[in-house]
mmCIF file of all heavy atoms in Angstrom:
data_model
loop_
_atom_site.group_PDB
_atom_site.id
_atom_site.type_symbol
_atom_site.label_atom_id
_atom_site.label_comp_id
_atom_site.label_asym_id
_atom_site.label_seq_id
_atom_site.Cartn_x
_atom_site.Cartn_y
_atom_site.Cartn_z
ATOM 1 N N TYR A 233 -7.202 14.053 8.957
ATOM 2 C CA TYR A 233 -7.451 15.497 8.790
ATOM 3 C C TYR A 233 -8.169 15.852 7.515
ATOM 4 O O TYR A 233 -8.212 17.001 7.115
ATOM 5 C CB TYR A 233 -6.099 16.221 8.834
ATOM 6 C CG TYR A 233 -5.076 15.600 7.868
ATOM 7 C CD1 TYR A 233 -5.042 15.950 6.520
ATOM 8 C CD2 TYR A 233 -4.171 14.648 8.335
ATOM 9 C CE1 TYR A 233 -4.150 15.385 5.666
ATOM 10 C CE2 TYR A 233 -3.271 14.060 7.484
ATOM 11 C CZ TYR A 233 -3.264 14.449 6.152
ATOM 12 O OH TYR A 233 -2.365 13.844 5.309
ATOM 13 N N GLY A 234 -8.756 14.873 6.828
ATOM 14 C CA GLY A 234 -9.461 15.175 5.586
ATOM 15 C C GLY A 234 -9.563 13.991 4.697
ATOM 16 O O GLY A 234 -9.705 12.854 5.121
ATOM 17 N N GLU A 235 -9.464 14.253 3.394
ATOM 18 C CA GLU A 235 -9.588 13.212 2.369
ATOM 19 C C GLU A 235 -8.437 13.327 1.383
ATOM 20 O O GLU A 235 -7.915 14.422 1.149
ATOM 21 C CB GLU A 235 -10.918 13.360 1.657
ATOM 22 C CG GLU A 235 -11.219 12.204 0.711
ATOM 23 C CD GLU A 235 -12.618 12.290 0.112
ATOM 24 O OE1 GLU A 235 -13.564 11.834 0.697
ATOM 25 O OE2 GLU A 235 -12.703 12.894 -1.009
ATOM 26 N N ALA A 236 -8.011 12.204 0.821
ATOM 27 C CA ALA A 236 -6.987 12.175 -0.203
ATOM 28 C C ALA A 236 -7.427 11.255 -1.314
ATOM 29 O O ALA A 236 -8.373 10.462 -1.161
ATOM 30 C CB ALA A 236 -5.659 11.729 0.373
ATOM 31 N N VAL A 237 -6.774 11.370 -2.461
ATOM 32 C CA VAL A 237 -7.065 10.513 -3.621
ATOM 33 C C VAL A 237 -5.775 9.876 -4.110
ATOM 34 O O VAL A 237 -4.731 10.565 -4.258
ATOM 35 C CB VAL A 237 -7.725 11.322 -4.761
ATOM 36 C CG1 VAL A 237 -7.965 10.461 -5.999
ATOM 37 C CG2 VAL A 237 -9.021 11.989 -4.305
ATOM 38 N N LEU A 238 -5.816 8.564 -4.327
ATOM 39 C CA LEU A 238 -4.700 7.856 -4.927
ATOM 40 C C LEU A 238 -5.083 7.353 -6.301
ATOM 41 O O LEU A 238 -6.288 7.099 -6.566
ATOM 42 C CB LEU A 238 -4.274 6.671 -4.057
ATOM 43 C CG LEU A 238 -3.613 6.986 -2.712
ATOM 44 C CD1 LEU A 238 -3.318 5.691 -1.960
ATOM 45 C CD2 LEU A 238 -2.365 7.798 -2.897
ATOM 46 N N GLU A 239 -4.065 7.182 -7.165
ATOM 47 C CA GLU A 239 -4.318 6.660 -8.522
ATOM 48 C C GLU A 239 -3.330 5.593 -8.881
ATOM 49 O O GLU A 239 -2.215 5.535 -8.354
ATOM 50 C CB GLU A 239 -4.172 7.804 -9.532
ATOM 51 C CG GLU A 239 -5.208 8.896 -9.420
ATOM 52 C CD GLU A 239 -5.048 9.970 -10.491
ATOM 53 O OE1 GLU A 239 -3.954 10.225 -10.988
ATOM 54 O OE2 GLU A 239 -6.091 10.573 -10.831
ATOM 55 N N LEU A 240 -3.754 4.768 -9.839
ATOM 56 C CA LEU A 240 -2.956 3.688 -10.401
ATOM 57 C C LEU A 240 -3.309 3.608 -11.869
ATOM 58 O O LEU A 240 -4.479 3.684 -12.226
ATOM 59 C CB LEU A 240 -3.326 2.375 -9.671
ATOM 60 C CG LEU A 240 -2.706 1.060 -10.178
ATOM 61 C CD1 LEU A 240 -1.212 1.005 -9.831
ATOM 62 C CD2 LEU A 240 -3.434 -0.106 -9.527
ATOM 63 N N HIS A 241 -2.269 3.437 -12.703
ATOM 64 C CA HIS A 241 -2.556 3.269 -14.149
ATOM 65 C C HIS A 241 -3.456 2.036 -14.322
ATOM 66 O O HIS A 241 -3.221 0.998 -13.764
ATOM 67 C CB HIS A 241 -1.265 3.061 -14.952
ATOM 68 C CG HIS A 241 -0.606 4.344 -15.333
ATOM 69 N ND1 HIS A 241 0.730 4.570 -15.147
ATOM 70 C CD2 HIS A 241 -1.103 5.473 -15.900
ATOM 71 C CE1 HIS A 241 1.040 5.789 -15.575
ATOM 72 N NE2 HIS A 241 -0.048 6.341 -16.043
ATOM 73 N N GLN A 242 -4.457 2.221 -15.199
ATOM 74 C CA GLN A 242 -5.422 1.131 -15.445
ATOM 75 C C GLN A 242 -4.777 -0.109 -16.030
ATOM 76 O O GLN A 242 -5.245 -1.226 -15.790
ATOM 77 C CB GLN A 242 -6.547 1.608 -16.367
ATOM 78 C CG GLN A 242 -7.434 2.621 -15.735
ATOM 79 C CD GLN A 242 -8.549 3.099 -16.669
ATOM 80 O OE1 GLN A 242 -8.712 2.603 -17.795
ATOM 81 N NE2 GLN A 242 -9.313 4.075 -16.210
ATOM 82 N N ASP A 243 -3.675 0.061 -16.785
ATOM 83 C CA ASP A 243 -3.046 -1.076 -17.437
ATOM 84 C C ASP A 243 -1.787 -1.580 -16.682
ATOM 85 O O ASP A 243 -1.045 -2.402 -17.178
ATOM 86 C CB ASP A 243 -2.668 -0.758 -18.864
ATOM 87 C CG ASP A 243 -1.673 0.426 -18.956
ATOM 88 O OD1 ASP A 243 -1.303 1.055 -17.934
ATOM 89 O OD2 ASP A 243 -1.273 0.749 -20.098
ATOM 90 N N ALA A 244 -1.586 -1.118 -15.428
ATOM 91 C CA ALA A 244 -0.382 -1.472 -14.720
ATOM 92 C C ALA A 244 -0.396 -2.901 -14.145
ATOM 93 O O ALA A 244 0.624 -3.532 -13.976
ATOM 94 C CB ALA A 244 -0.147 -0.482 -13.568
ATOM 95 N N ILE A 245 -1.611 -3.384 -13.864
ATOM 96 C CA ILE A 245 -1.779 -4.711 -13.285
ATOM 97 C C ILE A 245 -2.851 -5.413 -14.114
ATOM 98 O O ILE A 245 -3.890 -4.828 -14.421
ATOM 99 C CB ILE A 245 -2.168 -4.615 -11.829
ATOM 100 C CG1 ILE A 245 -1.052 -3.957 -11.014
ATOM 101 C CG2 ILE A 245 -2.527 -6.000 -11.243
ATOM 102 C CD1 ILE A 245 -1.418 -3.561 -9.611
ATOM 103 N N HIS A 246 -2.564 -6.676 -14.474
ATOM 104 C CA HIS A 246 -3.518 -7.433 -15.275
ATOM 105 C C HIS A 246 -4.319 -8.378 -14.416
ATOM 106 O O HIS A 246 -3.871 -8.775 -13.330
ATOM 107 C CB HIS A 246 -2.766 -8.196 -16.371
ATOM 108 C CG HIS A 246 -1.969 -7.273 -17.279
ATOM 109 N ND1 HIS A 246 -0.630 -7.177 -17.258
ATOM 110 C CD2 HIS A 246 -2.429 -6.390 -18.218
ATOM 111 C CE1 HIS A 246 -0.243 -6.277 -18.131
ATOM 112 N NE2 HIS A 246 -1.307 -5.782 -18.723
ATOM 113 N N ALA A 247 -5.488 -8.756 -14.896
ATOM 114 C CA ALA A 247 -6.395 -9.619 -14.190
ATOM 115 C C ALA A 247 -5.637 -10.879 -13.720
ATOM 116 O O ALA A 247 -4.933 -11.511 -14.512
ATOM 117 C CB ALA A 247 -7.576 -10.007 -15.071
ATOM 118 N N GLY A 248 -5.821 -11.191 -12.458
ATOM 119 C CA GLY A 248 -5.218 -12.432 -11.917
ATOM 120 C C GLY A 248 -3.782 -12.281 -11.411
ATOM 121 O O GLY A 248 -3.280 -13.195 -10.731
ATOM 122 N N GLU A 249 -3.136 -11.160 -11.695
ATOM 123 C CA GLU A 249 -1.742 -11.009 -11.213
ATOM 124 C C GLU A 249 -1.760 -10.876 -9.707
ATOM 125 O O GLU A 249 -2.597 -10.187 -9.127
ATOM 126 C CB GLU A 249 -1.096 -9.779 -11.856
ATOM 127 C CG GLU A 249 -0.663 -10.039 -13.287
ATOM 128 C CD GLU A 249 0.174 -8.901 -13.848
ATOM 129 O OE1 GLU A 249 -0.195 -7.710 -13.662
ATOM 130 O OE2 GLU A 249 1.161 -9.227 -14.538
ATOM 131 N N ARG A 250 -0.765 -11.545 -9.074
ATOM 132 C CA ARG A 250 -0.587 -11.491 -7.635
ATOM 133 C C ARG A 250 0.321 -10.307 -7.303
ATOM 134 O O ARG A 250 1.356 -10.138 -7.926
ATOM 135 C CB ARG A 250 -0.014 -12.800 -7.141
ATOM 136 C CG ARG A 250 -0.972 -13.968 -7.392
ATOM 137 C CD ARG A 250 -0.371 -15.329 -6.954
ATOM 138 N NE ARG A 250 -0.285 -15.355 -5.487
ATOM 139 C CZ ARG A 250 0.877 -15.367 -4.826
ATOM 140 N NH1 ARG A 250 2.030 -15.347 -5.452
ATOM 141 N NH2 ARG A 250 0.875 -15.403 -3.509
ATOM 142 N N VAL A 251 -0.077 -9.531 -6.289
ATOM 143 C CA VAL A 251 0.587 -8.256 -6.010
ATOM 144 C C VAL A 251 0.971 -8.188 -4.518
ATOM 145 O O VAL A 251 0.195 -8.571 -3.647
ATOM 146 C CB VAL A 251 -0.367 -7.086 -6.355
ATOM 147 C CG1 VAL A 251 0.245 -5.731 -5.939
ATOM 148 C CG2 VAL A 251 -0.714 -7.088 -7.830
ATOM 149 N N LEU A 252 2.165 -7.694 -4.290
ATOM 150 C CA LEU A 252 2.640 -7.344 -2.928
ATOM 151 C C LEU A 252 2.580 -5.824 -2.799
ATOM 152 O O LEU A 252 3.176 -5.132 -3.645
ATOM 153 C CB LEU A 252 4.057 -7.857 -2.691
ATOM 154 C CG LEU A 252 4.688 -7.475 -1.370
ATOM 155 C CD1 LEU A 252 3.941 -8.091 -0.193
ATOM 156 C CD2 LEU A 252 6.163 -7.911 -1.359
ATOM 157 N N VAL A 253 1.901 -5.306 -1.815
ATOM 158 C CA VAL A 253 1.803 -3.869 -1.574
ATOM 159 C C VAL A 253 2.841 -3.516 -0.487
ATOM 160 O O VAL A 253 2.885 -4.116 0.564
ATOM 161 C CB VAL A 253 0.385 -3.451 -1.124
ATOM 162 C CG1 VAL A 253 0.360 -1.972 -0.762
ATOM 163 C CG2 VAL A 253 -0.612 -3.789 -2.202
ATOM 164 N N ILE A 254 3.674 -2.497 -0.821
ATOM 165 C CA ILE A 254 4.748 -2.059 0.089
ATOM 166 C C ILE A 254 4.520 -0.593 0.460
ATOM 167 O O ILE A 254 4.253 0.246 -0.368
ATOM 168 C CB ILE A 254 6.110 -2.141 -0.603
ATOM 169 C CG1 ILE A 254 6.420 -3.557 -1.049
ATOM 170 C CG2 ILE A 254 7.210 -1.565 0.262
ATOM 171 C CD1 ILE A 254 7.021 -4.455 -0.032
ATOM 172 N N ASP A 255 4.719 -0.302 1.759
ATOM 173 C CA ASP A 255 4.754 1.077 2.189
ATOM 174 C C ASP A 255 5.740 1.180 3.363
ATOM 175 O O ASP A 255 6.180 0.137 3.899
ATOM 176 C CB ASP A 255 3.370 1.575 2.623
ATOM 177 C CG ASP A 255 3.229 3.088 2.503
ATOM 178 O OD1 ASP A 255 4.188 3.761 2.110
ATOM 179 O OD2 ASP A 255 2.107 3.583 2.820
ATOM 180 N N ASP A 256 6.104 2.369 3.724
ATOM 181 C CA ASP A 256 7.043 2.530 4.841
ATOM 182 C C ASP A 256 6.378 2.317 6.184
ATOM 183 O O ASP A 256 6.904 1.658 7.037
ATOM 184 C CB ASP A 256 7.731 3.910 4.761
ATOM 185 C CG ASP A 256 6.787 5.050 4.892
ATOM 186 O OD1 ASP A 256 5.616 4.971 4.449
ATOM 187 O OD2 ASP A 256 7.196 6.114 5.428
ATOM 188 N N VAL A 257 5.165 2.883 6.351
ATOM 189 C CA VAL A 257 4.486 2.832 7.652
ATOM 190 C C VAL A 257 3.045 2.419 7.479
ATOM 191 O O VAL A 257 2.315 2.908 6.577
ATOM 192 C CB VAL A 257 4.517 4.212 8.339
ATOM 193 C CG1 VAL A 257 3.745 4.200 9.672
ATOM 194 C CG2 VAL A 257 5.948 4.642 8.617
ATOM 195 N N LEU A 258 2.579 1.490 8.314
ATOM 196 C CA LEU A 258 1.158 1.186 8.440
ATOM 197 C C LEU A 258 0.656 1.873 9.704
ATOM 198 O O LEU A 258 1.117 1.577 10.793
ATOM 199 C CB LEU A 258 0.929 -0.320 8.544
ATOM 200 C CG LEU A 258 -0.520 -0.756 8.775
ATOM 201 C CD1 LEU A 258 -1.412 -0.357 7.614
ATOM 202 C CD2 LEU A 258 -0.578 -2.246 9.050
ATOM 203 N N ALA A 259 -0.249 2.854 9.510
ATOM 204 C CA ALA A 259 -0.778 3.584 10.642
ATOM 205 C C ALA A 259 -2.234 3.169 10.831
ATOM 206 O O ALA A 259 -2.499 2.095 11.374
ATOM 207 C CB ALA A 259 -0.632 5.092 10.432
ATOM 208 N N THR A 260 -3.171 3.935 10.300
ATOM 209 C CA THR A 260 -4.613 3.570 10.420
ATOM 210 C C THR A 260 -5.065 2.575 9.389
ATOM 211 O O THR A 260 -6.169 2.031 9.488
ATOM 212 C CB THR A 260 -5.466 4.850 10.327
ATOM 213 O OG1 THR A 260 -5.292 5.425 9.013
ATOM 214 C CG2 THR A 260 -5.124 5.865 11.400
ATOM 215 N N GLY A 261 -4.256 2.351 8.364
ATOM 216 C CA GLY A 261 -4.600 1.387 7.303
ATOM 217 C C GLY A 261 -5.304 1.965 6.124
ATOM 218 O O GLY A 261 -5.502 1.255 5.119
#
């Protein structure tokens, strides 16, 4: 229905760190 914007602190993840992304529902991706 439109557009949204997400943000993440620039210093929250360092180069090379391995990350698991979690959400409640995967819909359109």
Side-chain angles (χ1 to χ4, degrees):
Y233 50 84
E235 188 175 273
V237 177
L238 290 178
E239 295 183 331
L240 173 72
H241 276 132
Q242 290 180 6
D243 61 356
I245 296 168
H246 300 108
E249 285 188 314
R250 296 178 68 248
V251 176
L252 175 64
V253 175
I254 301 276
D255 206 359
D256 62 328
V257 176
L258 175 64
T260 63

